[in-house]
Amino acid sequence: MHIMETIKLHHLHPFLLSNEAEVIHIDQIRGLVLDQSVAYAESGGQLGDQGKISFKNGNTNKELPFHDTQKGEGRLLLLKDFPAIPVQTPTYHQLSPEHLSKFYVGQKVKVQVDFQRRLLLTISHSGIHLVLMGLEAKYPGLYSAIRGCSIKPEGARLDFSTDQKFTDEDVCFVQDFVQNQILLNKQMFVYQHAAEPEAWFWQMDDYIIPCGGCHLTETGYIGTVSVKKKSLGRSMQRISFTFKDYQIPEFYEI
Ligand SMILES: [Zn+2]
């Protein structure tokens, strides 16, 4: 079976914000597929990147915006110790129909992600890991009750299938836990599964979970967090957080 695949540079180069690429496919609905891209395609609740794609047009450089990044179909990963995620997928960069018509297969382009949006998504994503760690410190095993995850530039949330409503004390506990981890400027690591290069784990201290999203290297960048709870009914509970006073890491390659 032929697999149309985009090499996802954000895994091995998480702070690289642009790359040279070649157009390998154009879908009028789904968008532009490149042979490799730094852009993060929406998955695991984290929104897809936005940015711009540029190319030479005669003697001038033309730059066109893409407003979303989505994954296409690939091979379903079947490992005993990892969630069944699609791998070797194409990455679709979504442009307006008018802009999409400016591209052709084989064209050399440069893709660049919107730095501010990627930074906020990365902070938001890293922070929700700490929120989950805090919750699991109080309710071990809660990870398996996750039914929804949404990671946006302004903050993130997790929905749990549980009959137990979170209390004000839970919220205070989690907020103090997260703020303390930030104060300690803890290191956060990612590493690949031994059997699959696209399967990644996230680790802080001895807490490890499967995750291939965008992460900071240290907690100190996150700043000040505000944790909230919301009951979505008798058996669905939500925890969300927002952040402010974050610091911009110096290691991004613009
Ligand atoms: Zn993650």
Side-chain angles (χ1 to χ4, degrees):
M1 184 175 69
H2 172 70
I3 290 180
M4 179 172 62
E5 179 186 3
T6 303
I7 305 295
K8 292 156 193 74
L9 297 174
H10 66 84
H11 280 312
L12 287 173
H13 308 283
F15 307 111
L16 183 66
L17 296 169
S18 68
N19 70 280
E20 309 283 338
E22 185 177 320
V23 177
I24 58 170
H25 181 69
I26 299 170
D27 183 295
Q28 296 307 321
I29 306 293
R30 303 172 88 179
L32 195 66
V33 182
L34 307 175
D35 60 343
Q36 54 177 355
S37 180
V38 288
Y40 182 82
E42 178 170 356
S43 60
Q46 182 184 328
L47 289 181
D49 275 329
Q50 297 175 353
K52 55 195 179 189
I53 297 176
S54 55
F55 56 91
K56 286 259 187 304
N57 185 20
N59 288 330
T60 58
N61 207 36
K62 198 156 178 65
E63 216 171 65
L64 298 171
F66 63 96
H67 54 84
D68 196 9
T69 311
Q70 292 287 328
K71 268 186 191 177
E73 291 76 30
R75 170 172 63 89
L76 191 65
L77 187 62
L78 295 171
L79 292 172
K80 282 187 185 137
D81 58 349
F82 205 88
I85 58 166
V87 294
Q88 292 183 284
T89 56
T91 297
Y92 288 96
H93 305 75
Q94 298 190 344
L95 295 95
S96 72
E98 187 203 337
H99 289 160
L100 196 59
S101 69
K102 310 292 182 200
F103 294 91
Y104 59 88
V105 171
Q107 192 175 13
K108 305 287 185 200
V109 299
K110 183 180 179 185
V111 55
Q112 186 161 13
V113 302
D114 179 327
F115 169 58
Q116 185 64 19
R117 180 180 158 89
R118 165 66 80 81
L119 172 65
L120 293 176
L121 283 167
T122 301
I123 295 172
S124 191
H125 186 132
S126 303
I128 200 69
H129 275 294
L130 302 186
V131 169
L132 180 60
M133 277 181 81
L135 279 169
E136 288 219 287
K138 203 157 183 195
Y139 300 105
L142 200 59
Y143 172 77
S144 60
I146 295 174
R147 293 296 176 270
C149 174
S150 171
I151 298 167
K152 295 181 175 178
E154 63 270 24
R157 65 173 198 238
L158 286 167
D159 294 338
F160 299 93
S161 170
T162 170
D163 291 337
Q164 188 173 1
K165 282 189 179 178
F166 296 123
T167 63
D168 290 338
E169 289 72 32
D170 292 337
V171 171
C172 283
F173 176 86
V174 171
Q175 175 147 331
D176 289 350
F177 175 91
V178 173
Q179 207 60 66
N180 194 40
Q181 304 306 311
I182 292 168
L183 192 67
L184 292 168
N185 198 24
K186 290 278 193 72
Q187 291 231 302
M188 299 182 278
F189 304 92
V190 289
Y191 61 92
Q192 281 167 310
H193 192 288
E196 171 54 53
E198 280 197 63
W200 287 76
F201 294 96
W202 177 90
Q203 178 172 10
M204 194 178 100
D205 298 334
D206 57 357
Y207 186 94
I208 299 169
I209 64 169
C211 188
C214 297
H215 306 103
L216 296 163
T217 49
E218 282 119 34
T219 56
Y221 296 107
I222 297 170
T224 308
V225 299
S226 171
V227 177
K228 290 191 170 64
K229 67 176 168 66
K230 185 179 182 183
S231 178
L232 303 175
R234 205 164 60 85
S235 58
M236 194 66 78
Q237 310 302 324
R238 173 172 294 174
I239 293 285
S240 61
F241 96 105
T242 53
F243 55 93
K244 61 178 184 179
D245 307 327
Y246 61 88
Q247 290 181 49
I248 300 176
E250 61 289 344
F251 37 69
Y252 278 97
E253 301 168 57
I254 298 176

